[in-house]
Amino acid sequence: MRRLLVAGNWKMNASTDMAKALLSDILAADVQHCDVAVFPPFPYLAVAADTLSDSAIQFGAQNCSTAEAGAYTGEVSVGMLQDMGCGMVLIGHSERRSLFHETDAAVLAKTERVLIAGMTAVVCVGETLEQRQSGHAELIVKQQLSALLHQLTEAQWGQVVIAYEPVWAIGTGETATPEQAQQMHAFIRSLLASVSQKVADETRVLYGGSVKAANAAELFAQADIDGGLIGGASLTAEEFLGICRS
């Protein structure tokens, strides 16, 4: 059985006080029926490390460099994240792809860095509204996953989580219907089966498109949806914990 994972992506939001309060509230809720992870901005990883010490809640970074070290001003390496205590890294989020022009090759390079370090890579894929309307949604997702499917070993897939985020449903108030989300998750799982049935059966595939406490239960009830990558709703403890309870 794949255990559900609810992961909160704070994006470029937070302050020291807000991070401490939010993490403390999540910690106090003692969620046990799903795995929980948070992805604060880089400056607040130390707050997460301190607040979540010795707890079951995981924390990770929203991005990493393709380089190991060196003259890359403004970049943060996987080694640095590991030194901070991060266990996970979010890779290839739609905002990284669209705003910062990250390519599938860069996503693969970052994923390999994370896996070599023994951390978990949460790799994001998803189509735009135009791509969906033109009937190319599955083609785009297959293309985004192609390099990973060809390059990663079966053992490495044990450290990978896939997050499907329909770009047209992020921050717009729109949400894919449970049936639409399930259809794409099932397609992703069929792609994973090209590596092995074990990878298809065991890899968690999260849904990341305007998940809220009000719609989480119906989404998470779908056979191939293994939790959610939560954006705006992860910034308030009540809403985020409502999703976890779903």
Side-chain angles (χ1 to χ4, degrees), residues 132 164 166-181 207-216 218-220 225:
R132 172 164 280 270
Y164 167 61
V167 180
W168 49 273
I170 298 176
T172 63
E174 296 292 329
T175 308
T177 66
E179 293 74 22
Q180 286 174 315
Y207 174 71
S210 295
V211 180
K212 305 176 182 66
N215 63 21
E218 192 174 10
L219 286 164
F220 296 170
I225 298 179

Side-chain angles (χ1 to χ4, degrees), residues 140-155:
I140 294 299
V141 169
K142 182 177 182 179
Q143 177 182 307
Q144 291 171 340
L145 278 175
S146 180
L148 275 68
L149 294 170
H150 286 95
Q151 295 296 324
L152 302 187
T153 66
E154 181 177 301

